[in-house]
Amino acid sequence: MARVYNFSAGPSMLPEEVLKTAANEMLEYGSTGQSVMEMSHRSKEYDAIIKQAEADLRDIMNIPDNYEVLFLQGGASTQFAMVPLNLMNKNHKADYIITGQWANKAYKEAARYGNARAVASSADKTYSYIPKTTAADFDKEADYVHICMNNTIYGTKFHQLPDVGNIPLVADISSCILSEPIDVSKFGVLYAGAQKNVAPAGVTIVIIRKDLIGNAMDITPTMLNYQTHADNASMFNTPPCYSIYVAGLVFKWIKKVGGLEAMKKINEDKAKILYDFLDMSKMFKGTVVPEDRSLMNVPFVTGSDELDAKFVAEAKANGFVNIKGHRSVGGMRASIYNAMPIDGVKKLVEFMKKFEEENA
Ligand SMILES: *Cc1c(COP(=O)(O)O)cnc(C)c1O
């Protein structure tokens, strides 16, 4: 068996150690005689799994007690509706910063439920930078301000949060959750689909300040009301049991690695190897302004569609898969989430150097 280096933007790599544990526990979890997939979500064994996962996540992210942690379904995309349905109910206004397709989808969804306003956008330059804002740009009456913290498709990241004063800040952290420490207390809501940095697709993590729960619009479906899930400890209905179990294994793995400070250091080292090469290469160029570069998603181009296609094909033949860029940016994109080992990035850069020499 030969595992490839998988640079997919999502679903993406999981730590090999986690996959091995899951494999070992596949037929029998503990001494239950059954797999986690087959277990009642109301059993005491499963209750311990979900509670431990929540406790470990709280520990790793240092989540304050006045925040709920919810394990939901529907992906980050369902949060695009859930956030306005639950939060846009005081002044019926919300401000959005448009930094890419995901941010734009969130904005459009919110506009169905109230006055969503696009405060700033980087669409003019294919979202290759994070637009600057000041406190004066935001509507003081906005029920919240929404950002997409790490822009998976374009490879940008908010390295500094916008100054939104007392307005609750809501962030989609699908592609940067657990990649580095984050000050949860600066946010009203954080949400993330699991399939980039946490677990197989299925679970969506929501971290929400408790005072923001309980003010949903009357039209809000029961399943889309945060209150429903907060009141039932994410067990109102059957949760995505297996995905939560794997998330729990990933949380334990992060603890073993040394927590989010250690994770950040590793991610910075990995990204630096790739960005340093892009800055020096005559063939490959990064597409993002240096100050807004993501640690997780690194898009790059050669400037020639033909050469890009050749590179993607040869990379694949050499065990570097899913490196083709998103159609809206073109070229290549290397997603180097937590589970991508540093060797994967080193070997990719060696391969890029060789390709550059051979095709100069
Ligand atoms: C992948 C992604 C999404 C979509 O997630 P789903 O779970 O597929 O709905 C939304 N936002 C960001 C930033 C993403 O990377």
Side-chain angles (χ1 to χ4, degrees):
M1 186 199 65
R3 280 181 55 81
V4 291
Y5 289 115
N6 179 5
F7 292 88
S8 170
S12 34
M13 286 184 85
L14 284 162
E16 202 165 295
E17 199 182 309
V18 164
L19 293 175
K20 282 184 176 150
T21 305
N24 283 336
E25 295 178 340
M26 179 56 77
L27 290 180
E28 183 179 20
Y29 179 79
S31 50
T32 61
Q34 57 196 302
S35 121
V36 176
M37 281 187 209
E38 306 163 298
M39 205 177 262
S40 163
H41 61 294
R42 308 280 176 202
S43 64
K44 75 173 195 311
E45 288 83 6
Y46 193 75
D47 191 58
I49 290 173
I50 192 169
K51 287 219 171 88
Q52 191 61 49
E54 178 178 339
D56 285 339
L57 183 63
R58 282 184 178 279
D59 186 26
I60 295 168
M61 288 184 74
N62 203 9
I63 300 173
D65 289 343
N66 62 324
Y67 284 74
E68 286 286 349
V69 172
L70 305 175
F71 296 116
L72 307 182
Q73 303 197 54
S77 301
T78 296
Q79 294 308 308
F80 298 166
M82 220 160 152
V83 166
L85 282 165
N86 283 268
L87 266 62
M88 211 202 242
N89 204 20
K90 287 185 178 130
N91 298 318
H92 311 283
K93 290 176 172 182
D95 283 351
Y96 279 72
I97 301 182
I98 314 298
T99 51
Q101 282 190 21
W102 297 118
N104 203 33
K105 281 187 178 163
Y107 162 64
K108 286 196 171 138
E109 191 69 11
R112 303 180 67 210
Y113 301 109
N115 286 314
R117 192 171 68 113
V119 174
S121 167
S122 47
D124 59 337
K125 291 185 179 156
T126 325
Y127 302 113
S128 57
Y129 68 102
I130 297 287
K132 304 251 180 317
T133 55
T134 67
D137 293 325
F138 300 102
D139 185 343
K140 295 228 158 18
E141 289 193 339
D143 291 328
Y144 62 89
V145 174
H146 181 281
I147 62 169
C148 181
M149 189 103 150
N150 183 77
N151 295 280
T152 324
I153 295 174
Y154 304 93
T156 61
K157 195 207 155 205
F158 280 85
H159 289 285
Q160 235 176 344
L161 295 177
D163 177 5
V164 297
N166 288 325
I167 310 169
L169 183 59
V170 176
D172 177 352
I173 54 168
S174 294
S175 52
C176 59
I177 184 171
L178 303 177
S179 63
E180 60 182 327
I182 183 169
D183 183 351
V184 175
S185 71
K186 291 210 156 72
F187 297 87
V189 182
L190 291 165
Y191 64 87
Q195 68 275 19
K196 304 333 183 343
N197 233 354
V198 180
V203 65
T204 307
I205 295 172
V206 174
I207 301 165
I208 178 168
R209 220 172 64 205
K210 286 180 179 169
D211 64 283
L212 296 172
I213 299 172
N215 192 40
M217 297 178 190
D218 289 340
I219 60 162
T220 307
T222 304
M223 277 296 288
L224 297 191
N225 192 325
Y226 291 126
Q227 179 103 58
T228 304
H229 302 287
D231 285 351
N232 292 282
S234 303
M235 288 272 204
F236 172 75
N237 70 326
T238 317
C241 303
Y242 196 75
S243 185
I244 293 168
Y245 153 75
V246 178
L249 297 180
V250 168
F251 301 155
K252 283 196 166 59
W253 174 76
I254 289 175
K255 285 182 134 175
K256 225 169 96 179
V257 169
L260 294 188
E261 281 296 348
M263 210 73 244
K264 177 185 184 182
K265 171 80 174 68
I266 296 167
N267 287 328
E268 282 175 347
D269 290 350
K270 276 188 321 200
K272 188 173 186 313
I273 294 170
L274 194 44
Y275 284 124
D276 281 353
F277 174 68
L278 291 174
D279 287 342
M280 175 194 104
S281 166
K282 292 202 165 58
M283 175 180 281
F284 297 102
K285 293 268 166 295
T287 58
V288 169
V289 299
E291 65 270 24
D292 296 329
R293 284 170 168 174
S294 164
L295 284 181
M296 297 282 100
N297 310 99
V298 184
F300 55 95
V301 294
T302 63
S304 146
D305 290 348
E306 217 172 291
L307 215 48
D308 287 350
K310 187 171 187 230
F311 177 79
V312 170
E314 289 185 15
K316 185 174 177 192
N318 282 274
F320 307 102
V321 308
N322 293 320
I323 203 156
K324 190 171 182 319
H326 190 272
R327 59 193 176 282
S328 62
V329 181
M332 283 67 66
R333 171 177 48 171
S335 294
I336 48 174
Y337 296 116
N338 286 353
M340 172 61 66
I342 195 156
D343 266 357
V345 180
K346 283 184 183 157
K347 286 184 182 152
L348 174 66
V349 166
E350 277 167 32
F351 176 75
M352 288 167 78
K353 275 185 192 152
K354 189 163 145 272
F355 184 89
E356 183 166 347
E357 280 162 21
E358 288 169 1
N359 292 275

